[in-house]
Amino acid sequence: MKRSISIILALVFAFSLFAVSSLAEEKTVINLFYGTDSTGAMQKIIDAFEAAYPQYKVNWIEAPASQDTAHDMLVTSLAAGESIYDVFSCNVIWPAEFSQAGYCLAVDRFLDESDLDMDDFSQGYVNAYTFQGKMWGLPWYGNVGVLYYRTDLIETPPATWDDMIETAKAVKGKEGTTYGYALQAAQYEGLVCNALEFIASYGGTVVDGEGNITINNDGVRAALTEMKKIVDAGIVPENFSSFMENECQMAFSNGDVAMIRAWPGYFATAVNPEASKVSDKFAVTMLPAGSAGSAATLGGWGWMINKNSAQPQAAWDFISYVTGPEGQKINAIVAGQLPTYMPLYEDEEILAANPHFSYMKDAIGVAVARPVSPIYTALSESMQINISAVLAGTMSVDDAVAAMEKEMNEKLAEYNK
């Protein structure tokens, strides 16, 4: 199967090079691996990059729409040592895996000679691309957990998770609502994203910067205790354990719930009067705080350089442009994606195109990376199972933390063999 994929990739690559060779002439061709884009933003970025760097021609090799399929195609090619792609888009949960496997090039030496200042980026996203003391790519656009709340019921959004419980109790049943709060609590990745926000807001950690398992700590215990307190408070749907993003969003749009944890992408639906009964009576803000402050799990994408690229400088020139202020501004205006380059939240053209971005700056400023680990999938699976058991009342917090620590360390030892 892997051999077949490699043959197909080689044929696609050869055809792509032939198609651009007559146009490229003596220009250096940069081959990029990126998915479909219905917004047109990527092509606008490529056009702007080629105008700024006339010595380059970009050859866009389209990735599959499925994230998992794109991941597997990349791994097949990179593991074989191929240089089909010079640069590739990267989900925020891939850097540790790819760097540990030797698939990508560290970008620290390029940054040392660059005008880019990583202090201008959301530090949560910088952390997502940092593993074992090195930067393995650059963040492009973001996605963070935020709180949607009914402004006709709630004058001031809750500052802490305990405030949220009391607010939810006070407004539940008013103006047609049935519930005070809804979160993603089904046994899937969304539950992990919610849990990580609680863990960070109570000062807990799952791994350290070297990938070691650190989940057995008081911050994690406090976070899971608070999550259990919320689902037991009589403010969430009785079938909360089946709620994913769609269920939360539908409940809010229908006016059934006063507050939900959701992603910024839901805003367009929530504000649309044809799709939402609360289109003119809601607002968005950062999530409530725990004892260590507010936190928001980050999602989104960045860019990496193939370790086997024959032209690493050209690859760097491209990813530094697409993730720098020029590329991120085009992406924000045309595609509506959240910048990870923080000064852009003051850009008048971006705010005119995306008025709701003013709500998102604080949230993305406190964004936290999911555990940066080459075995992230295994860590996530353990968290899903054990945290679900805590919320269902079939496992204590202490037992769940102990089980996760044991399972995670076993998986890490297996990986390191």
Side-chain angles (χ1 to χ4, degrees):
M1 180 65 181
K2 289 184 177 179
R3 176 177 169 81
S4 297
I5 292 176
S6 294
I7 292 172
I8 292 170
L9 290 175
L11 290 172
V12 171
F13 176 62
F15 178 80
S16 299
L17 280 184
F18 175 77
V20 301
S21 61
S22 61
L23 296 175
E25 297 177 351
E26 296 181 2
K27 295 183 178 182
T28 298
V29 177
I30 302 171
N31 295 294
L32 71 89
F33 185 73
Y34 180 69
T36 57
D37 180 13
S38 61
T39 69
M42 189 71 249
Q43 189 58 57
K44 288 182 180 295
I45 293 171
I46 290 172
D47 293 343
F49 170 75
E50 291 178 341
Y53 291 84
Q55 70 270 35
Y56 297 136
K57 178 65 183 177
V58 176
N59 178 34
W60 178 0
I61 303 170
E62 196 169 284
S66 166
Q67 175 183 312
D68 290 340
T69 304
H71 171 275
D72 292 346
M73 285 181 68
L74 272 175
V75 168
T76 299
S77 175
L78 299 172
E82 295 175 344
S83 56
I84 293 175
Y85 318 118
D86 295 301
V87 296
F88 52 89
S89 57
C90 173
N91 189 284
V92 292
I93 64 175
W94 297 352
E97 174 195 355
F98 281 28
S99 62
Q100 191 86 340
Y103 297 157
C104 53
L105 198 65
V107 300
D108 302 83
R109 66 182 177 92
F110 296 109
L111 279 170
D112 290 342
E113 301 172 358
S114 169
D115 292 334
L116 284 179
D117 185 347
M118 297 315 294
D119 288 340
D120 287 331
F121 288 75
S122 163
Q123 291 309 295
Y125 281 89
V126 172
N127 294 340
Y129 288 86
T130 304
F131 184 62
Q132 296 183 337
K134 294 182 178 181
M135 282 285 291
W136 297 97
L138 294 178
W140 185 24
Y141 67 82
N143 200 12
V144 290
V146 289
L147 183 75
Y148 288 73
Y149 68 96
R150 289 273 296 273
T151 52
D152 58 330
L153 299 173
I154 302 167
E155 182 176 350
T156 303
T160 69
W161 287 112
D162 283 340
D163 290 342
M164 188 281 293
I165 294 174
E166 295 309 311
T167 300
K169 287 179 178 179
V171 301
K172 174 186 171 184
K174 294 183 178 180
E175 297 296 328
T177 61
T178 305
Y179 312 108
Y181 182 67
L183 72 163
Q184 294 83 58
Q187 190 174 305
Y188 78 120
E189 182 66 17
L191 171 61
V192 176
C193 291
N194 280 249
L196 290 171
E197 288 160 350
F198 281 92
I199 289 171
S201 71
Y202 283 92
T205 61
V206 177
V207 300
D208 64 16
E210 298 298 314
N212 301 308
I213 306 303
T214 60
I215 197 167
N216 192 347
N217 60 75
D218 290 341
V220 172
R221 280 183 278 274
L224 300 190
T225 299
E226 188 70 12
M227 291 183 74
K228 178 61 173 168
K229 182 178 177 181
I230 288 171
V231 301
D232 287 346
I235 59 174
V236 301
E238 290 81 0
N239 60 336
F240 70 88
S241 62
S242 67
F243 268 49
M244 298 185 184
E245 280 87 356
N246 285 343
E247 287 77 10
C248 290
Q249 293 166 12
M250 288 177 62
F252 192 79
S253 292
N254 289 335
D256 295 333
V257 62
M259 293 177 285
I260 63 168
R261 183 270 184 206
W263 300 99
Y266 168 56
F267 185 90
T269 299
V271 79
N272 180 358
E274 296 183 1
S276 171
K277 296 179 181 179
V278 298
S279 60
D280 60 346
K281 46 190 175 186
F282 79 92
V284 186
T285 189
M286 62 199 307
L287 291 167
S291 59
S294 181
T297 298
L298 58 81
W301 290 75
W303 290 88
M304 289 178 139
I305 300 174
N306 183 350
K307 187 177 181 178
N308 296 303
S309 172
Q311 45 203 23
Q313 183 61 54
W316 166 256
D317 288 341
F318 178 79
I319 73 166
S320 63
Y321 185 89
V322 72
T323 63
E326 301 94 340
Q328 287 207 32
K329 180 170 181 176
I330 294 171
N331 201 39
I333 292 174
V334 179
Q337 300 286 10
L338 289 172
T340 56
Y341 185 77
M342 300 306 291
L344 292 181
Y345 286 91
E346 309 300 326
D347 188 286
E348 293 183 0
E349 291 180 288
I350 290 178
L351 293 177
N354 304 277
H356 61 293
F357 275 18
S358 59
Y359 304 135
M360 306 302 175
K361 181 180 180 180
D362 290 340
I364 207 164
V366 297
V368 292
R370 278 173 268 186
V372 182
S373 168
I375 60 163
Y376 175 76
T377 301
L379 305 187
S380 174
E381 181 179 353
S382 178
M383 293 179 71
Q384 292 173 37
I385 293 170
N386 290 287
I387 295 173
S388 290
V390 169
L391 300 185
T394 59
M395 181 180 278
S396 70
V397 168
D398 287 341
D399 286 347
V401 171
M404 288 188 288
E405 181 182 39
K406 178 176 182 292
E407 292 165 4
M408 291 177 178
N409 276 314
E410 288 175 348
K411 289 294 185 181
L412 187 59
E414 182 180 330
Y415 175 83
N416 288 329
K417 281 183 180 179

